[in-house]
């Protein structure tokens, strides 16, 4: 089991280093996309991959500790300690994994197309299409997670925006639609505000009111 745990850690560190090397290149490609006359934002499940991998590693470590505790059932103090640590790891890992799944389910069919020349936007999701001029966006509310301690958690990379149009329509755009530059950068000046919950559950998420840490 220790060898398996070591593989989790080594794999995570190696992939983190690989992602770190690829960030400047990805940032360059993202800036090129934003300069095009027509900019398309669509869901990419690999976005926020580092957070997803961290959640997976914590889940794996928690499972390993549970298995270890079961095998050491005759040593009560070790069992209790292992289960306490495993519970914390499983909660942290499951939270990040749950956020990724719910964000992906919300935006898996979503496409936001912004025509900079005609100043038109078209948003399609689950068979529903909404077309509007960019000036119709009345306000944007950005939801970013907040940690008073400053320590990084598995849910820190998950955020979303709510666009409210002048006719009362509102759209939810998650971070899986874009990488570094968000679609709000292509809008004319618009009223914006930021909300900083501990965890950015999506509106309607069954765990919306479940908070910890």
């Amino acid at each position: 089991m220790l060898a398996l745990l070591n593989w989790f850690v080594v794999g995570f560190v190696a992939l983190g280093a690989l992602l770190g090397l690829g960030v400047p290149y990805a940032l360059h490609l993202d800036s090129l996309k934003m300069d095009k006359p027509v900019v398309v934002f669509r869901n990419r499940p690999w976005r926020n991959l580092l957070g997803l991998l961290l959640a997976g590693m914590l889940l794996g470590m928690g499972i390993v500790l549970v298995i270890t505790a079961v095998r050491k059932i005759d040593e009560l103090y070790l069992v209790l300690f292992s289960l306490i640590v495993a519970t914390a790891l499983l909660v942290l890992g499951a939270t990040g994994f749950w956020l990724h799944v719910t964000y992906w389910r919300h935006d898996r069919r979503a496409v936001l197309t912004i025509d900079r020349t005609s100043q038109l936007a078209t948003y399609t999701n689950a068979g529903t299409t909404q077309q509007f001029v960019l000036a119709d966006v009345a306000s944007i509310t950005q939801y970013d997670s907040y940690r008073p301690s400053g320590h990084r958690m598995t849910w820190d990379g998950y955020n979303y925006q709510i666009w409210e149009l002048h006719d009362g329509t509102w759209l939810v755009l998650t971070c899986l639609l874009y990488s570094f530059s968000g679609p709000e950068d292509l809008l004319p000046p618009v009223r914006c505000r930021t909300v900083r919950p501990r965890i950015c559950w999506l509106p309607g998420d069954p765990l919306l009111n479940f908070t910890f840490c």
Side-chain angles (χ1 to χ4, degrees), residues 4-199:
L4 182 60
L5 188 61
N6 288 336
W7 275 110
F8 272 121
V9 175
V10 171
F12 178 75
V13 172
L15 193 52
L18 183 63
L19 287 174
L21 292 174
V23 164
Y25 181 68
L27 183 60
H28 173 67
L29 292 179
D30 199 60
S31 64
L32 292 179
K33 182 185 77 171
M34 295 291 285
D35 289 335
K36 293 181 178 179
V38 177
V39 184
V40 180
F41 300 89
R42 65 177 69 248
N43 183 292
R44 291 291 184 266
W46 47 261
R47 289 191 175 118
N48 205 25
L49 182 59
L50 192 59
L52 181 61
L53 290 172
L54 176 59
M57 186 185 73
L58 293 177
L59 282 173
M61 292 170 63
I63 293 172
V64 169
L65 281 175
V66 169
I67 295 174
T68 302
V70 170
R71 291 188 173 184
K72 302 284 187 179
I73 198 68
D74 54 323
E75 301 178 27
L76 184 58
Y77 73 95
L78 181 58
V79 172
L80 292 176
F81 176 76
S82 297
L83 290 179
I84 290 172
V85 175
T87 299
L89 293 175
L90 291 173
V91 168
L92 293 174
T95 302
F97 185 75
W98 176 267
L99 283 172
H100 196 91
V101 170
T102 54
Y103 277 45
W104 174 80
R105 286 191 62 194
H106 179 274
D107 277 345
R108 67 187 184 277
R109 298 188 184 95
V111 178
L112 175 65
T113 302
I114 296 181
D115 189 328
R116 301 175 61 193
T117 303
S118 61
Q119 291 291 288
L120 283 174
T122 303
Y123 178 74
T124 303
N125 195 355
T128 301
T129 299
Q130 178 78 30
Q131 190 173 62
F132 53 93
V133 297
L134 299 184
D136 277 345
V137 181
S139 66
I140 295 178
T141 303
Q142 175 77 35
Y143 285 80
D144 286 322
S145 61
Y146 171 68
R147 289 283 300 168
S149 65
H151 298 304
R152 180 169 180 81
M153 306 300 288
T154 57
W155 53 79
D156 285 351
Y158 294 93
N159 55 76
Y160 64 91
Q161 301 174 355
I162 294 182
W163 289 21
E164 185 175 356
L165 308 184
H166 285 294
D167 63 1
T169 302
W170 53 282
L171 310 173
V172 178
L173 311 176
T174 79
C175 59
L176 298 187
L177 278 180
Y178 52 88
S179 298
F180 301 99
S181 302
E184 74 279 4
D185 293 338
L186 302 176
L187 298 179
V190 61
R191 179 165 52 90
C192 299
R193 71 185 184 104
T194 301
V195 178
R196 302 296 301 273
R198 292 291 185 90
I199 305 174

